Amino acid sequence: QQQVKQSPQSLIVQKGGISIINCAYENTAFDYFPWYQQFPGKGPALLIAIRPDVSEKKEGRFTISFNKSAKQFSLHIMDSQPGDSATYFCAASRDGSSNTGKLIFGQGTTLQVKP
Amino acid sequence: DSGVTQTPKHLITATGQRVTLRCSPRSGDLSVYWYQQSLDQGLQFLIQYYNGEERAKGNILERFSAQQFPDLHSELNLSSLELGDSALYFCASSPGTQNQPQHFGDGTRLSIL
């Protein structure tokens, strides 16, 4: 129940196209869903995050869509650029009596945007 | 720049040895999280400290331990190292203990020969 499943494992998109990465979770207690971007040799950097009380959140070219009933959420990168080529991780965490905020990560998606 | 500083960037050592990884959180952040990143396991939560106290434990081996000091920096100690401990170790920090943005350092790459 603690898993977050991410797909696809890798993705190749043409410049200007839309990149879509999907995640699914089992634990309905999760209530915070961030996406991270990681470049080689760097740590994960927070891109955008969503909570279950909204179905969509947009920041620039990045949009999270959230489907609470299906227990799925996805990252859309509009007008994908070669500079977006990186590994993307979805994650989930929950508040609760333990109050930790520890993140459970998906396995990652390697995105390549071709010029 | 995330504001989280990790040292050293690289560590090369042998099996059976002990190493210490250091993390300085962002200014004002009281929580420090340690994660391990490997090809087969992905990013795994190890342990969290909040204001000097252990708050949560994940899949952390008994050979591993951590602490957070009064100045809020944290150290992850890995002992009796095995080949399988080779991985990237990341530290992240956040202001508190609830669901808040976690900012990651650039990690320490540990190679066991």
Side-chain angles (χ1 to χ4, degrees):
Chain A
Q1 275 213 329
Q2 288 297 314
Q3 278 189 321
V4 176
K5 295 182 179 178
Q6 183 172 346
S7 63
Q9 190 173 2
S10 62
L11 181 61
I12 300 175
V13 173
Q14 290 295 127
K15 178 182 176 181
I18 302 173
S19 303
I20 301 174
I21 304 170
N22 301 298
C23 284
Y25 63 97
E26 289 294 324
N27 189 345
T28 55
F30 286 146
D31 54 9
Y32 177 68
F33 303 89
W35 283 90
Y36 282 83
Q37 179 190 57
Q38 185 178 25
F39 293 105
K42 295 291 187 180
L46 180 64
L47 262 181
I48 186 172
I50 198 168
R51 297 182 190 274
D53 53 347
V54 297
S55 60
E56 187 174 281
K57 183 175 181 179
K58 184 176 180 178
E59 288 185 5
R61 296 185 294 109
F62 300 92
T63 300
I64 299 179
S65 297
F66 187 83
N67 186 330
K68 189 174 181 178
S69 60
K71 293 185 285 185
Q72 294 175 349
F73 58 110
S74 59
L75 176 69
H76 291 64
I77 305 174
M78 313 301 286
D79 187 26
S80 298
Q81 299 297 312
D84 296 330
S85 298
T87 300
Y88 292 81
F89 293 93
C90 63
S93 69
R94 58 179 287 245
D95 277 328
S97 59
S98 60
N99 276 354
T100 74
K102 66 181 181 184
L103 293 170
I104 309 299
F105 283 91
Q107 286 297 101
T109 296
T110 301
L111 170 65
Q112 182 184 359
V113 181
K114 289 194 167 183
Chain B
D1 182 11
S2 69
V4 178
T5 303
Q6 288 189 249
T7 57
K9 290 190 185 304
H10 303 278
L11 259 180
I12 301 174
T13 188
T15 55
Q17 295 298 304
R18 173 189 170 93
V19 297
T20 297
L21 282 54
R22 182 187 169 102
C23 169
S24 294
R26 291 195 322 160
S27 177
D29 284 356
L30 298 179
S31 267
V32 169
Y33 303 79
W34 287 96
Y35 294 87
Q36 180 192 58
Q37 185 175 39
S38 61
L39 282 175
D40 55 342
Q41 295 292 323
L43 267 164
Q44 299 271 319
F45 167 74
L46 293 178
I47 196 165
Q48 178 204 5
Y49 276 81
Y50 172 73
N51 203 21
E53 293 187 359
E54 182 183 302
R55 183 57 69 108
K57 260 186 175 180
N59 298 324
I60 188 167
L61 300 171
E62 286 191 9
R63 300 182 285 109
F64 296 1
S65 65
Q67 55 184 329
Q68 186 179 27
F69 295 86
D71 67 353
L72 301 177
H73 91 271
S74 178
E75 293 181 356
L76 179 66
N77 300 296
L78 315 176
S79 62
S80 303
L81 288 167
E82 302 175 358
L83 293 176
D85 298 328
S86 295
L88 273 165
Y89 291 85
F90 288 104
C91 165
S93 73
S94 69
T97 59
Q98 296 185 350
N99 290 331
Q100 297 167 313
Q102 291 182 28
H103 297 273
F104 283 71
D106 285 338
T108 294
R109 181 175 293 279
L110 176 63
S111 299
I112 313 299
L113 302 179

